[in-house]
Amino acid sequence: MASSTLPGLRSPASPRSGATSPRPKFDSDQLKPYIKKLLSSTLQDVTWADFKEKERKGALMKEIGDRVKERMLEIEPRGFKYIVLTQFNENVGQGGRAHVACHWEDSDAVVQEYWSRPLRQDSLICIIIAFAVRTV
């Protein structure tokens, strides 16, 4: 007879198993439209040829990442650590896809945004992934 069928031998249910987290969750619904608008306005006239100088590409990646982090701090100023990944790729008609999932605490969040200009072979692809990880 399996031990799981014997009465009294099962582990008690975790007190957290059915309870929702009392800690506030990061509101990712506020961040996603901001990132979409930020990328459209910042990158509308940028082409891959503009990145011949590494400093230009690095500066633009830093600017976008910093602005996303600032917005995250406006949404939830305390209790989270923020990680923002910014990536640029040349668009040569290959398309692209990014996916990430967050399997931590209920209060943590991840937001991703993929941006490109279709029908322009001289343009770029930008992928932003932003994590909000609860600290306390």
Side-chain angles (χ1 to χ4, degrees):
M1 186 182 315
S3 64
S4 63
T5 60
L6 293 176
L9 292 181
R10 297 187 73 197
S11 297
S14 168
R16 292 180 52 154
S17 63
T20 59
S21 176
R23 301 187 292 183
K25 183 175 179 173
F26 183 83
D27 189 1
S28 57
D29 292 337
Q30 288 186 41
L31 185 61
K32 192 159 181 71
Y34 174 81
I35 294 174
K36 186 174 280 220
K37 184 176 178 183
L38 172 68
L39 294 179
S40 292
S41 63
T42 305
L43 301 176
Q44 68 183 3
D45 296 324
V46 178
T47 66
W48 187 255
D50 296 332
F51 291 148
K52 289 182 179 176
E53 300 171 14
K54 287 184 181 180
E55 294 80 24
R56 167 105 166 102
K57 182 164 86 170
L60 194 54
M61 289 172 68
K62 180 170 177 15
E63 175 191 345
I64 290 170
D66 287 347
R67 289 175 66 186
V68 170
K69 187 183 90 174
E70 287 171 10
R71 179 65 180 134
M72 293 173 85
L73 285 166
E74 290 172 7
I75 294 169
E76 193 65 54
R78 289 184 204 71
F80 287 90
K81 287 189 178 183
Y82 299 113
I83 303 161
V84 179
L85 307 171
T86 306
Q87 178 181 349
F88 289 137
N89 295 314
E90 183 177 13
N91 185 358
V92 290
Q94 80 277 19
R97 183 178 205 155
H99 179 73
V100 67
C102 180
H103 299 286
W104 302 311
E105 303 247 346
D106 290 341
S107 57
D108 297 339
V110 61
V111 174
Q112 64 184 15
E113 186 63 38
Y114 170 89
W115 180 91
S116 71
R117 271 189 308 243
L119 308 175
R120 291 237 359 223
Q121 297 300 318
D122 63 340
S123 64
L124 57 96
I125 295 170
C126 181
I127 299 168
I128 301 286
I129 302 172
F131 297 92
V133 181
R134 190 79 176 155
T135 58
V136 289

